[in-house]
Amino acid sequence: MDAFKLMKELRVNYEQEVQYLPKETGLSLIESTTQDDSRISAKCRDAKVEDLWSLTSFFGYSTQTFVLAVNLLDRFLAMMRIQPKHLSCVSLSCLHMAAKVTEEECNLTPTDELIRIGQCRFTVSDLSRMEKIVAEKLNFKSKAITALTFLHLYHQITLTHSTDRKEKLNLEKLEAQLKACLCRISFSKAKPSVLALSLLRQEIEAVQSEDMLEIASHIQRHLKIADGELLLWSERVAQCLSDYASPECSKPNHRKLQWIVSRRTAQNLHTYRSVPELPTIPEGCWDESESEDSCEDMMSSGEESLSSSLGSDAEGPFFPLHFRCQKHRQHLRQHLHA
């Protein structure tokens, strides 16, 4: 796509992004809710988004699927008052809806398996009903303009115009950093165009490219993004990534998701995964009968958090060393002035 078409598409998305923003009043209500309340709290929401990240990585889904799922979840939570016990059903419904839009049909995880691996206690019919409710309330068809939409456009525009260190602007790294930000509900209040530009500028400053920095400034002027707004979210992004890169932050690893399950659950999972010896199929005969397991009896281990083992893209390489060095220098300065 040439530069003119990219800028035109950028403008169209910028004008439409407001249609896909969660209601700020609803998000503020969630942030003000305590853990003891009967409503969803920010901590509860953030933990569930981390679970979605885990499941997205486990099933090999794309970043687009994860970002769309979070967008649907936040918009629904900001609109509807739901009880914490229903959050798992809502979040998994959003993930399944997003996957059906962004993933190839052959790569979609069967609904019963999605519920089983997600360690949820509802049924396939429960999930289907919740999907219909979410789709109706959000008037969801097949798309949403998110920060990832702008991140991809910004990346393309930057590489189209820049002649300086193209290989250094790693889109995969930018996507991982976006996912880390989305695990905090506060970033759902940012305009997607501003959040994506904040991430882009952070990475450009890290690779120290004056050429790319000028392109980012041109994008800002083209979209008429205020300096104060961009600075505010740039500082929040830097703080988020700095916290994430710190030794105090619990880091995920590259191992597959692991759970502690009861003996009964382990037997059920083993039975579900085992492949029996198949008899020889006579020529001209085809038996299409299949049996389906009930998800209600299978899940006896509860709905524990999966976020202790996020995807491999949550590892250190995508959260640059300069954030850790910057924090270390701040610590040294505080120590010297003490």
Side-chain angles (χ1 to χ4, degrees):
M1 189 179 296
D2 61 36
F4 176 77
K5 289 183 179 180
L6 282 172
M7 297 304 285
K8 183 178 180 180
E9 183 178 350
L10 180 61
R11 169 57 66 178
V12 170
N13 282 282
Y14 181 73
E15 292 172 352
Q16 295 179 358
E17 69 175 340
V18 67
Q19 301 174 23
Y20 303 96
L21 288 174
K23 292 183 178 179
E24 190 167 344
T25 53
L27 294 176
S28 297
L29 188 61
I30 294 173
E31 288 182 311
S32 64
T33 300
T34 62
Q35 284 289 95
D36 299 330
D37 206 329
S38 60
R39 295 176 298 190
I40 302 298
S41 66
K43 185 176 181 180
C44 186
R45 176 269 179 201
D46 291 352
K48 195 54 62 177
V49 170
E50 289 177 352
D51 286 353
L52 290 182
W53 189 351
S54 296
L55 291 171
T56 300
S57 299
F58 184 81
F59 292 119
Y61 287 164
S62 65
T63 301
Q64 187 179 1
T65 298
F66 171 76
V67 174
L68 179 56
V70 175
N71 176 266
L72 294 174
L73 177 63
D74 283 339
R75 285 162 58 195
F76 188 77
L77 293 181
M79 177 186 297
M80 306 295 296
R81 178 174 176 174
I82 68 170
Q83 297 180 19
K85 65 181 181 180
H86 296 141
L87 182 56
S88 292
C89 188
V90 174
S91 62
L92 214 60
S93 297
C94 292
L95 178 62
H96 197 228
M97 290 169 64
K100 287 190 288 187
V101 170
T102 61
E103 305 292 336
E104 296 290 338
E105 187 174 353
C106 59
N107 295 329
L108 285 176
T109 302
T111 310
D112 58 340
E113 185 174 343
L114 186 65
I115 295 172
R116 188 192 305 272
I117 299 300
Q119 296 191 330
C120 300
R121 291 188 173 186
F122 48 83
T123 65
V124 172
S125 59
D126 291 333
L127 189 70
S128 297
R129 284 196 299 271
M130 185 59 73
E131 284 185 36
K132 291 179 181 178
I133 293 172
V134 174
E136 180 183 340
K137 293 297 181 182
L138 300 182
N139 194 26
F140 178 70
K141 298 296 188 242
S142 62
K143 75 169 223 175
I145 296 172
T146 66
L148 186 65
T149 307
F150 288 99
L151 201 59
H152 284 179
L153 283 171
Y154 293 162
H155 185 262
Q156 284 183 274
I157 292 169
T158 303
L159 296 190
T160 299
H161 289 82
S162 177
T163 57
D164 184 19
R165 301 183 182 182
K166 290 186 179 182
E167 72 283 359
K168 295 281 184 154
L169 204 56
N170 189 330
L171 182 59
E172 190 178 0
K173 178 194 288 187
L174 290 167
E175 289 183 354
Q177 293 173 345
L178 172 60
K179 287 191 278 190
C181 289
L182 292 181
C183 288
R184 297 186 178 186
I185 193 173
S186 58
F187 287 98
S188 296
K189 291 183 174 181
K191 291 180 180 177
S193 56
V194 178
L195 177 56
L197 190 56
S198 300
L199 285 163
L200 182 74
R201 287 183 64 93
Q202 289 283 343
E203 181 61 16
I204 290 174
E205 290 172 3
V207 301
Q208 299 179 341
S209 171
E210 293 295 333
D211 186 23
M212 290 183 180
L213 197 58
E214 178 56 36
I215 295 171
S217 297
H218 175 71
I219 292 173
Q220 181 188 350
R221 291 191 298 270
H222 180 71
L223 297 181
K224 298 180 181 179
I225 297 174
D227 290 338
E229 185 179 14
L230 183 60
L231 178 61
L232 172 66
W233 288 106
S234 293
E235 289 175 347
R236 292 180 179 179
V237 165
Q239 185 61 52
C240 175
L241 299 184
S242 178
D243 292 343
Y244 203 87
S246 69
E248 291 80 12
C249 180
S250 178
K251 293 294 191 303
N253 52 46
H254 290 273
R255 294 178 301 174
K256 291 183 178 180
L257 298 178
Q258 297 180 1
W259 298 276
I260 298 175
V261 297
S262 67
R263 181 178 299 176
R264 178 187 172 193
T265 301
Q267 290 174 345
N268 284 331
L269 290 172
H270 177 73
T271 302
Y272 177 75
R273 286 297 185 183
S274 62
V275 180
E277 292 185 7
L278 298 176
T280 302
I281 300 176
E283 291 185 8
C285 176
W286 181 255
D287 184 3
E288 295 182 348
S289 63
E290 292 181 357
S291 63
E292 295 185 359
D293 298 324
S294 171
C295 293
E296 290 179 317
D297 296 332
M298 293 297 183
M299 296 315 303
S300 59
S301 59
E303 297 179 7
E304 300 174 2
S305 174
L306 313 177
S307 57
S308 59
S309 181
L310 300 180
S312 59
D313 56 359
E315 285 286 0
F318 292 139
F319 297 88
L321 182 61
H322 76 277
F323 285 117
R324 293 193 289 270
C325 293
Q326 185 181 42
K327 188 168 185 178
H328 180 62
R329 286 194 295 270
Q330 291 173 352
H331 176 74
L332 287 178
R333 283 197 294 269
Q334 292 174 358
H335 179 72
L336 290 173
H337 288 89

